[in-house]
Amino acid sequence: MADSIFAFFARHLPYDSAGFAAFAALLKSAVFILGFVMLLAGILTWMERRQSAMMQDRLGPCRANLGRFKAWGLLHFVADAVKMIFKEDFIPPKASKLLFALAPMLALAPVLIATAVIPFGAPLCYGRMTEAVPLGVCALPVEMQAARLDAGLLFYFAIASLAVYGTVLAGWASHNKWALMGGMRAASQMMSYEVTMGMAVMAMFLVYGTLEPGAMVNAQGNRPWQWGIWGVPQAIAFVLFLTAAIAENKRTPFDIPEGESEIVGYFVEYSGMRFGMFYLGEFIEIITSSAIAVTVFFGGWRFPFAGTLAASWPNWLFVLLSVGVWSLKVFLFCAFQLLIRWTLPRLRPDQLLKLGWQRLLPLSIANVVLAAGWVLFSR
Amino acid sequence: MAADPRTAVETVTVIVDGKEHKFPKGMNLLEACLSVGVKIPFFCYHPGLSSPAVCRQCLVEIKGAPKPVPSCYTAVADKMEVTTNSPRVLEIRRQMLEFTLLNHPIDCPVCDKAGECSLQRHYFDWDGKLARNEGDKVRKAKVVDVGKHIVLDQERCILCTRCIRVCNEVAKSPDLTIANRGSHSVLTTAPGQRLDNPYSLNTVDVCPVGALTAKDFRFARRAWELCATPSVCPGCATGCSIEIHASRGKIHRLVPRENPLVNKFWMCDEGRFTYKAVTENRVRLPSIDGKRATLPAALAEAARLLGEDLAGAPQRVGVVFSFQATNEDTHVLLRLALDGLKIERVYAGGRALGGSDTILVSADKNPNTTGVVRTVPPPLRTLKELTRDLATGALTTVLVLGNEALPVAAATPVTVIVLASNKGPLVAAANVVLPIAMWAEVDGSFANKDGLVQRLHAAVPCPGEALPGWEVLARLGGKLGVEMAYASASEVFAEAAGRHGFLKDAVWGDSSRPVQLRFGESRG
Amino acid sequence: MAVTVKVVARPAGIRGHTYLVAVAEGMWVTFRHLMKNFPGNVLGLRKKTDIATLSYPEEKQAYPARNRGLHRLMKRENGDVRCVACMMCPTVCPAHCITIVPEEAPDNAVEKRPRIFEIDELRCVVCGLCVEACPCDAIRMDTKVHAPPTLRRADAILDMEALLARGEPSIATQGGTGPFWREKV
């Protein structure tokens, strides 16, 4: 059955044809974004509430049952989506309608686009999918990555930083001074921490000698002690990256732009699915930053005994396993970020900027120098 | 302060609880102690009545006397040493209270007196102990229909005999007595007789407990819900000082207020029901030819009618003053009609004469006849002349203050503008009706038959769109080009006092806020 | 009033200064709770959890004995209302939610009774002062029933019939004999 399907593809879509490249990219994007990112973001919205409830000795949302199908309230994210779609789409009378409508798209689209460069599994060996193919010997590899760009992570930073326009526009277009102030807070915060985030990863560029995330994964080994996190500059870079990523995601302890319950945030005037897009965008940012952290510091899809399994399992099964392992790693990182949110109290804006510019940025620059020295003298 | 030789009397020195005080010779010891702030409880004593010393509650120790003496029955004497708070006195006081309460039903929850009851107050002040009696109390008759206005509860009676003395000494009608002996003593009327004298409701006021209660006030409100406002009874020319007891904008009863110049502690039953006119059958809204109108429209219509008729035939326009109106209303009408509009035909009227007695009730049933007569310069024509003038056609337009039964036949082509408070034939026939407030709703003054000017205080809000008479008249004057700007009744009074001799020595006094009975002393 | 600010000194040393250890400690606390509650509640692996939430319609809190619920009016032995319209409860009521209009009772020994007795459960603040004030054990709040939601405001005003419907004969006698009303008989 599987054989005949693969044979059909191999016959009608040759590896080096343009149709194959387009089809593969489309399929990968669709499967990755719809099947993983969107699904996980939805689950995270439920998980955030449920996990926080567990941490605070509460129950959390556990009631969205579909008849006898209960699933611990997992379907709450479906119910939320339905609710948001059917909710009144309110636009303040004096708001700029075009920008008001544009802002949530600008917040959501870049983070989705930025996921394109993330490798989410071992390469599939085209034409030999049913055979066991040891790692690194495949002639026609199909990278599990929507777009393999040499600029790699630079592309990620370039696109992801566009999200700040969404937040600032939301604050501006709402015709609400509190929303505007929230937007300004968001802008200053995201600008500040982007620098640190980039510098942290720049140290890793020097260590790996490449910008391409797929190549970074290939540079790491299967065993956990062969992953990118080990080493002084890498460990520092990881802490810096994680801190900056949380700040980029505007999450506690850096949730000053939103401050859901106390200080009014930039999306105060948004309701329904427009609000939902901001909300979703934020969770996708969590996934993306977790994915980058996994790719750069935790070996991407790599796991112990991957080499042995690759040489013994059918190739498609092994790829599926590697995708599963990668997903598990990303999921654990997401859970870790949620754990941070429900543990730490919020910083003041001045503390936030002080931490960003006076502590993390000098540290990240020093780390780049350290990494350069490390690379220079360890060779 | 130099002693006035006219009022100088012989004084005696008495030591009360170790402090020396000077009192006029012959003064009642209880009154003397109360006047210097020494608290002594009493039931049977009443400042307006004789002292029988039956309740034994006011016992005090006097040095040299073999046993405690009732202070209400003892006159002060020089070098008397009185102790009112020794342990022995306090214990006697407490024991007397326990004795008084022995057969009292303690049905305070259903008793109308609760909250202003002397027995309650003294119990909390001087006793406060739990009952020790075992077995049943002596049961007596409850809810006895003893008179036209009064319900008697024999169980609650503590046999102080105040009501008996009120009937004997004030009403001069000995209707009540105490029958039987010991625990079975009951207050009662003679067989077949009823407590129906014209001053019967004073027995309710003086009753220290809830034995005698007024049918009119029965279960209407609890005492602590009432607010008391000092005022003057509008029932007759005597002008008894009263307190209006109102609750949530509604008058519930009138009770006499102590005034040694007029009514001492009493008032007649008839006067107590004058508040009914304030609560019933009121004109609430202005109207033109019987149709509802706004106040500005009614004022404009009144001004138009008056103006046209004054321009056409000024000698056929008349103004009618009211003996029921306050001095303030009368003064403003005087300024409007006589000073401003130069109306020459001036009449005055009020309620017809009624019965009188030698105690308090006057035949003149109007509270301010003296005030009106002394305000308006003569000639002041009577209602009889008004009737005649209307019949002969000498009058075609009248401006009427108040709603006395003015004889206006519907057929006679007379224009009537009336400032009325109560509905009646005059209001039904009038061309323009302007609602005005009544005596209980305004600040003002009445002059009684002796020329004594007394203050009224607003106790309840005006109904509907009614305003005080002076305010309506001032606004009507504004429409007719007679400018009168008054911010309050006190300004009207000040202006009137400068013009009319009888008001010259009168004092407006403080504006008085209603006092909630909850925070007052117990009455009775 | 001037705002006073208490300046707390920063903890000394690299450990205190970076807060990294404190952050890790805090995360350990939350993680511990997560690990105790998550397997037990969500996965159903453990019986014992720390979860304090009650799933309301299925689980209900056991009310304490002195819980104050919906009002009720008690009855005499013959089924008449015990209330004598003494106005203690409307007087003491801080929310002014009690309306009583008294009338003459046919029995002279009772003398007074309410013609209208209404409680506006929307205004009621459930303070229980009316029960404290009642000299006749006529009004109680021991029903352990919450004021039910209503579609119209007028429906939340309970009249005497509704209040008596929950009532039962009280054995306390006026004047103080008999058991104290709070004592269980």
Side-chain angles (χ1 to χ4, degrees), chain A residues 83-287:
Chain A
K83 178 196 78 173
M84 280 175 172
I85 288 166
F86 286 104
K87 226 174 165 180
E88 185 194 357
D89 177 28
F90 178 78
I91 299 178
K94 290 190 179 175
S96 161
K97 293 204 170 44
L98 177 70
L99 296 183
F100 192 84
L102 194 62
M105 299 180 201
L106 276 183
L108 181 62
V111 291
L112 279 177
I113 295 170
T115 55
V117 296
I118 296 165
F120 54 92
L124 187 70
C125 214
Y126 193 66
R128 295 172 64 193
M129 280 180 269
T130 50
E131 305 164 27
V133 182
L135 288 176
V137 300
C138 182
L140 308 172
V142 181
E143 299 294 341
M144 287 293 123
Q145 194 176 6
R148 193 182 179 97
L149 302 172
D150 284 343
L153 286 179
L154 284 187
F155 171 82
Y156 166 76
F157 283 117
I159 298 297
S161 59
L162 286 176
V164 73
Y165 289 102
T167 59
V168 176
L169 268 185
W172 172 255
S174 296
H175 195 266
N176 176 323
K177 52 178 88 77
W178 285 278
L180 180 59
M181 282 191 262
M184 299 315 287
R185 289 197 300 271
S188 66
Q189 172 174 335
M190 292 171 81
M191 297 288 179
S192 311
Y193 280 82
E194 232 157 54
V195 187
T196 302
M197 202 164 157
M199 286 291 181
V201 181
M202 192 188 277
M204 299 310 287
F205 296 163
L206 295 175
V207 172
Y208 289 124
T210 176
L211 291 177
E212 209 288 307
M216 287 184 181
V217 174
N218 288 341
Q220 301 174 63
N222 285 335
R223 306 211 164 78
W225 55 89
Q226 293 168 332
W227 291 347
I229 179 80
W230 304 110
V232 177
Q234 291 96 318
I236 295 173
F238 171 66
V239 173
L240 290 172
F241 177 82
L242 191 68
T243 314
I246 292 171
E248 276 294 287
N249 298 349
K250 304 179 285 291
R251 291 175 61 80
T252 325
F254 307 109
D255 61 341
I256 295 157
E258 299 163 18
E260 286 140 350
S261 51
E262 307 89 5
I263 48 175
V264 179
Y266 53 88
F267 48 52
V268 63
E269 296 288 2
Y270 280 86
S271 61
M273 205 53 216
R274 288 190 210 275
F275 168 76
M277 284 161 84
F278 280 114
Y279 194 58
L280 201 61
E282 214 170 276
F283 280 99
I284 293 172
E285 275 186 65
I286 297 173
I287 298 167

Side-chain angles (χ1 to χ4, degrees), chain B residues 247-299:
Chain B
S247 163
R248 283 165 250 165
K250 190 169 181 291
I251 302 176
H252 286 287
R253 65 179 179 188
L254 305 181
V255 296
R257 179 162 56 96
E258 182 184 349
N259 187 345
L261 296 174
V262 184
N263 57 323
K264 299 187 176 62
F265 303 91
W266 323 112
M267 72 185 287
C268 66
D269 291 358
E270 192 187 334
R272 289 182 198 254
F273 295 103
T274 49
Y275 81 86
K276 298 275 186 196
V278 180
T279 55
E280 291 163 10
N281 203 27
R282 290 297 298 274
V283 179
R284 299 170 59 85
L285 302 167
S287 60
I288 301 170
D289 295 328
K291 282 191 275 298
R292 157 105 179 84
T294 61
L295 186 58
L299 283 169

Side-chain angles (χ1 to χ4, degrees), chain B residues 106-110 112 142-143 153 156 218-220 222 224-225 518, chain C residues 84-88 91 102-104 108-112 135-136 174:
Chain B
I106 322 190
D107 55 354
C108 306
V110 295
D112 269 340
K142 291 180 88 72
V143 202
D153 188 311
R156 292 182 194 149
R218 191 166 165 82
F219 302 160
R222 302 317 304 269
W224 55 83
E225 295 177 78
R518 196 188 297 199
Chain C
V84 295
C86 71
M87 304 287 172
M88 286 292 157
T91 300
E103 68 174 1
E104 195 93 24
N108 274 358
V110 177
E111 203 171 340
K112 195 178 177 185
C136 303
Q174 201 173 315

Side-chain angles (χ1 to χ4, degrees), chain B residues 198-479:
Chain B
Y199 291 86
S200 64
L201 279 166
N202 288 308
T203 60
V204 175
D205 289 335
V206 298
C207 184
V209 292
L212 293 160
T213 50
K215 282 180 186 170
D216 182 47
F217 183 66
R218 191 166 165 82
F219 302 160
R221 281 281 185 274
R222 302 317 304 269
W224 55 83
E225 295 177 78
L226 298 169
C227 287
T229 312
S231 189
V232 179
C233 174
C236 71
T238 307
C240 294
S241 293
I242 58 165
E243 265 180 10
I244 300 171
H245 285 181
S247 163
R248 283 165 250 165
K250 190 169 181 291
I251 302 176
H252 286 287
R253 65 179 179 188
L254 305 181
V255 296
R257 179 162 56 96
E258 182 184 349
N259 187 345
L261 296 174
V262 184
N263 57 323
K264 299 187 176 62
F265 303 91
W266 323 112
M267 72 185 287
C268 66
D269 291 358
E270 192 187 334
R272 289 182 198 254
F273 295 103
T274 49
Y275 81 86
K276 298 275 186 196
V278 180
T279 55
E280 291 163 10
N281 203 27
R282 290 297 298 274
V283 179
R284 299 170 59 85
L285 302 167
S287 60
I288 301 170
D289 295 328
K291 282 191 275 298
R292 157 105 179 84
T294 61
L295 186 58
L299 283 169
E301 174 69 6
R304 187 184 67 79
L305 291 171
L306 272 177
E308 279 177 9
D309 291 349
L310 278 169
Q315 72 282 3
R316 293 194 180 195
V317 179
V319 59
V320 183
F321 282 84
S322 169
F323 295 138
Q324 299 271 324
T326 60
N327 289 322
E328 289 68 32
D329 294 1
T330 309
H331 173 73
V332 176
L333 183 58
L334 175 78
R335 285 214 44 204
L336 172 69
L338 274 66
D339 299 359
L341 304 178
K342 312 281 188 226
I343 296 173
E344 286 162 9
R345 290 184 173 272
V346 181
Y347 304 84
R351 277 191 223 126
L353 291 180
S356 67
D357 62 25
T358 55
I359 305 167
L360 286 173
V361 183
S362 303
D364 180 2
K365 295 299 173 193
N366 299 299
N368 200 24
T369 312
T370 313
V372 174
V373 169
R374 294 190 186 177
T375 300
V376 185
L380 197 56
R381 299 168 208 219
T382 61
L383 281 184
K384 208 180 213 172
E385 291 172 85
L386 176 63
T387 314
R388 196 194 59 216
D389 290 348
L390 285 171
T392 57
L395 267 182
T396 55
T397 305
V398 275
L399 171 63
V400 188
L401 174 62
N403 40 247
E404 283 68 54
L406 182 69
V408 183
T412 44
V414 180
T415 307
V416 177
I417 295 150
V418 64
L419 282 72
S421 54
N422 292 74
K423 288 174 186 158
L426 177 63
V427 169
N431 295 65
V432 179
V433 178
L434 298 161
I436 57 169
M438 287 187 81
W439 57 278
E441 294 149 6
V442 296
D443 288 335
S445 62
F446 281 153
N448 77 351
K449 62 184 175 188
D450 300 325
L452 183 75
V453 179
Q454 297 190 91
R455 247 318 278 287
L456 301 166
H457 293 275
V460 287
C462 304
E465 292 179 15
L467 290 172
W470 58 266
E471 201 172 335
V472 177
L473 287 167
R475 288 176 69 170
L476 183 59
K479 302 257 183 196

